Amino acid sequence: MTTRRKLLGASALLVAGAILVSGVMLSHDASCPSDGTDVAPIGAVTMHAARYRCYGDTRVVQWVTVARPVPSDSSVLVRVHAAATNPLDWHYMRGKPYIMRLSSGIGRPADVRLGQDFAGVVEAVGVHVTRFAPGDSVFGASTGAFGEYVTVRHNAAIAHLPDSMSLEEAAALPVAASTALQAVRDVGQVARGQRVLVNGASGGVGTYAVQIAKSLGAHVTGVSSGRNAALVQSLGADVTIDYTREDFTTAAARYDVIIDIVGNHAPWALRRALVPHGRVVVVGGPERDRWLGPIRAFLSAIVYGWFVEQTFTGMLAETTQQDLEYLATLVAQGLLRSVIDQRFEASELRAAIAYQEGGRSRGKNVVRVP
Ligand SMILES: NC(=O)c1ccc[n+]([C@@H]2O[C@H](COP(=O)([O-])OP(=O)(O)OC[C@H]3O[C@@H](n4cnc5c(N)ncnc54)[C@H](OP(=O)(O)O)[C@@H]3O)[C@@H](O)[C@H]2O)c1
């Protein structure tokens, strides 16, 4: 064997070994420590909040007493009254897909707070905050929303509640409606008169996507199971397709934009349902891949898009103040509403996360924080 071949063989072994070790490290679940680093010192002002100190099923989620967060000079302290669940919550809880542990923590979570979406009342503001005042009703997204208090920077994901909305309905908006808005308006670039198909129209993101596409003047087709067709129609969909009876990728209709929230069709199948120069926006994907999860659907769409005339994009949404204000305006104009499936008490948080993980939600699920 030549020296060159030996070197190549050794390098390949090293790479394979490195991949194996990284894989073992990423997928390893460390044990659960009995106490966290945020336990309130004696005499501190406290609150109840959900914590998960290791990865696992819903049993790792516990309500504990911790120190109440203190707002910085440019932050707002909000007393949370309602929080909503998202698939993101159980992804964090399980640390799956494993790839996300590169940011959420290897072995166990780096940040033990849980929950994103909240609505509540401003309790206190920092000295530089002028946009919000104590007593204001607000909604937004901040890590730790499953807790009595959150702090949010005054220019981050927080906005005033639309008058016509309850705290529970507003708590449902931030992550799911921002995702729908960015998918339909920004990435999908939906314009008046275009034909838009929303795959997964009855879920958290889908119920908002249908309404936002209608608000932009599109002709909307919503794909859901038959049991949710009436709901999707009530949100403004012009046409509904029951996915248990009909596969839209093999039907005759063609769409300008497909918002794919389910990721159950290959990119080449989606292309069959597109007009030339149409767009596919992949928002979600099958969860069964424990290493990459929905990211696999994003990647295959993006790579496929390099070789065809249509545009294929995978997107990760960011919740911003500007978008929350836009959503609040749509609500105030009567163009957007939240569909609430289940309401849970704080003591039922584990059941709320498990229900969300079940994947059968009709719209959003809300947790009341007393
Ligand atoms: N990219 C991002 O930034 C971003 C942000 C938020 C969420 N997501 C992802 O988007 C996905 C959806 O989130 P979500 O909050 O909307 O989830 P969800 O509320 O749990 O979605 C549940 C809905 O999906 C429907 N559904 C299941 N299989 C379907 C199929 N084959 N065809 C059509 N509809 C189907 C279900 O209806 P039936 O019960 O009738 O089947 C149910 O109404 C998740 O993968 C999530 O991780 C991505």
Side-chain angles (χ1 to χ4, degrees), residues 202 204-205 225 227-228 243 264 283 287 315 317 356 360-361:
S202 56
V205 177
S225 65
R227 81 183 177 111
N228 289 325
Y243 70 80
N264 58 331
V283 174
E287 313 286 356
M315 60 154 273
Q356 182 71 60
R360 301 267 81 93
S361 299

Side-chain angles (χ1 to χ4, degrees), residues 78-84 117-122 135-140 159-174 208 338 340 343 365-369:
V78 179
R79 172 64 168 92
V80 176
H81 289 282
D117 289 339
F118 69 84
V121 176
V122 174
D136 288 357
S137 293
V138 292
F139 71 112
H160 285 103
L161 206 72
D163 284 343
S164 53
M165 226 177 193
S166 70
L167 287 167
E168 288 177 12
E169 290 166 333
L173 282 168
Y208 292 122
S338 294
I340 309 288
R343 289 175 164 82
N365 305 297
V366 172
V367 179
R368 298 184 180 114
V369 184

